[in-house]
Amino acid sequence: MTRTTEKRKYLYRQTKGDRVYVYFRHPRTKQLTALPDDETSQAFANAYDPLLAAASAKPDETPRTPDQLGRWKNPRDYTIDPKIVFRPGSIGWFIDRYKQSAKFLGFAAGTRSNYGFALDLLKKEFGTAFLHDVTPEHVDVYSARIARQKGGATADQQINLISNLWEFAKGFAEFKRKGKHCPTTGATRHYQHDGEGHLAWPEAVLECFDETANSYLVEFKTGLHYTGQRGSDVVTMRWSDYDGELINVVQQKTGERVWLHCPAPLRTMLDRMQKNPVHPEFIFTNKWKRPYVSAGTLSAALRHHLHSLGYREFSMHGLRKNAAMELALAGCEVGEIQSVLGHKSPKMAMFYCKAGGQEAVEPHCHG
């Protein structure tokens, strides 16, 4: 059976020598999927038709589970070549076993999801190396490359994962370390906190963003700024969480439920949006009027617009610093800032109090 190719959409062809390679290019993700060379064959139709149906289907708006949240990164960055074999004792081999361990499975679902991506990155980039052969020099070179490609925070997370795997691997005969010490000891760290990491947005940047960004990005920016929540919590906010004064959030990272006061600018915006919501369930949506799958896609959209304005040093996470410092300036104490932002320790809240001119006092329990 032959099929016409004239009206087929989303095909990408690449010529190498005398051969033409054909791919399906997803209209939203731009991911390429190899197809049979003969576009008139039934095999081609069998491969192409399901891809077209999936790309044309209305996106599923069912709320994501915690395991699905955070799965926003470019899948091509984390896809493992199935032809690669990870031999016993290799980093990839230990990653597979670590993911099945009681320790990993005991993490919160959101943590497993985020660690899963980080482990996949380590497995793809460094997985064939034997763990017992890794040296401090290897760690520094690898982490420096990841820092250049994906930022200092990701690089430091990779260092931490190597350290965790080293400890985990001690229970396996395949780990032939022969008394060697963990190679991450003394490793160069790449992410600098408190002013050199995620910077708070100055007033000029906030104003410029509001004047130039699409309305949906301005709405997200306002929600992030005035709630102080992580992007993963803002993208899942629902109209049922808002009562006109307060907004209810179950923070994904901590699992804590908090009621947040909505400052006047946020409350005014939400009241206006509520009169004619673009989505019946979710407060914030993307330009297609659908909720973001996760915070990473939102972060990329905000970063892209900031870069277009020439502000390359600012990020979505910096808006949490704006919120925290404004809470400190308003006289909030360490415990209040810690609760609102969902920090597990008071360290960062104490920093914001100092930035707000307060005397930062370590909170303690009262009997």
Side-chain angles (χ1 to χ4, degrees):
M1 178 179 176
T2 60
R3 295 282 299 268
T4 179
T5 65
E6 292 180 1
K7 295 184 179 180
R8 281 182 170 145
K9 299 191 294 185
Y10 312 132
L11 291 183
Y12 172 78
R13 300 173 181 86
Q14 186 176 45
T15 302
K16 291 184 179 180
D18 296 331
R19 183 174 176 183
V20 177
Y21 294 86
V22 186
Y23 302 87
F24 182 89
R25 180 160 56 188
H26 195 285
R28 290 188 293 276
T29 67
K30 308 305 179 186
Q31 182 175 0
L32 297 177
T33 303
L35 295 170
D37 295 347
D38 184 1
E39 297 182 44
T40 64
S41 67
Q42 185 60 45
F44 186 96
N46 292 342
Y48 170 83
D49 290 347
L51 292 170
L52 178 63
S56 303
K58 184 177 180 181
D60 181 13
E61 295 183 356
T62 304
R64 266 62 176 180
T65 66
D67 276 326
Q68 293 169 312
L69 292 172
R71 299 259 167 192
W72 50 269
K73 304 175 177 68
N74 187 337
R76 284 175 290 183
D77 289 349
Y78 299 84
T79 301
I80 311 298
D81 188 338
K83 296 190 294 294
I84 295 177
V85 176
F86 298 98
R87 292 175 292 175
S90 67
I91 289 175
W93 189 84
F94 280 118
I95 286 174
D96 289 339
R97 279 139 192 84
Y98 181 68
K99 283 186 174 182
Q100 299 170 9
S101 69
K103 180 176 181 180
F104 182 79
L105 296 175
F107 291 139
T111 302
R112 290 200 307 272
S113 178
N114 290 325
Y115 275 16
F117 263 111
L119 288 165
D120 288 347
L121 175 63
L122 179 60
K123 184 177 180 181
K124 178 182 178 181
E125 299 292 335
F126 207 12
T128 56
F130 283 105
L131 182 60
H132 53 250
D133 287 338
V134 175
T135 67
E137 290 78 9
H138 291 144
V139 173
D140 282 343
V141 171
Y142 171 66
S143 65
R145 176 164 60 85
I146 297 301
R148 291 191 295 270
Q149 295 174 352
K150 299 181 179 298
T154 300
D156 286 359
Q157 184 185 43
Q158 293 289 290
I159 294 173
N160 293 339
L161 289 178
I162 293 172
S163 178
N164 292 344
L165 283 176
W166 187 273
E167 291 301 313
F168 172 74
K170 289 180 179 178
F172 291 82
E174 290 81 359
F175 186 43
K176 305 181 187 303
R177 60 190 175 102
K178 298 180 180 178
K180 295 178 183 177
H181 295 293
C182 180
T184 62
T185 302
T188 301
R189 296 286 171 165
H190 303 274
Y191 177 70
Q192 299 296 321
H193 296 274
D194 303 345
E196 295 182 32
H198 299 288
L199 300 176
W201 296 21
E203 193 65 33
V205 176
L206 293 168
E207 291 179 357
C208 186
F209 190 93
D210 286 348
E211 292 171 0
T212 58
N214 289 330
S215 59
Y216 75 96
L217 284 179
V218 174
E219 290 167 355
F220 264 115
K221 187 273 299 179
T222 304
L224 290 160
H225 180 183
Y226 288 108
T227 66
Q229 300 308 291
R230 297 177 177 86
S232 56
D233 297 320
V234 174
V235 296
T236 57
M237 286 180 175
R238 292 168 167 80
W239 287 114
S240 58
D241 298 327
Y242 176 59
D243 69 359
E245 294 287 338
L246 304 173
I247 193 162
N248 176 35
V249 178
V250 178
Q251 295 170 332
Q252 179 191 339
K253 187 168 184 178
T254 65
E256 296 293 326
R257 180 182 295 276
V258 294
W259 282 95
L260 305 171
H261 171 72
C262 295
L266 176 59
R267 193 166 61 248
T268 299
M269 184 190 77
L270 292 178
D271 291 344
R272 172 180 52 79
M273 293 169 63
Q274 197 170 33
K275 292 178 181 178
N276 188 26
V278 297
H279 193 283
E281 183 179 1
F282 291 89
I283 295 176
F284 300 105
T285 61
N286 59 26
K287 66 180 179 180
W288 294 284
K289 313 304 180 188
R290 296 191 292 267
Y292 273 107
V293 173
S294 70
T297 313
L298 168 62
S299 177
L302 292 169
R303 183 173 61 250
H304 177 76
H305 188 70
L306 286 166
H307 286 189
S308 73
L309 299 173
Y311 298 124
R312 304 187 69 85
E313 65 269 44
F314 302 104
S315 66
M316 177 178 76
H317 199 83
L319 291 167
R320 277 169 58 79
K321 285 196 172 182
N322 285 82
M325 294 176 71
E326 288 166 18
L327 287 170
L329 288 168
C332 291
E333 297 181 352
V334 169
E336 294 174 288
I337 297 174
Q338 182 182 344
S339 176
V340 169
L341 270 70
H343 289 137
K344 291 187 175 181
S345 81
K347 178 181 177 182
M348 288 303 297
M350 293 176 71
F351 164 76
Y352 295 128
C353 281
K354 291 177 182 178
Q358 290 191 49
E359 180 181 355
V361 179
E362 185 88 31
H364 58 275
C365 296
H366 298 279

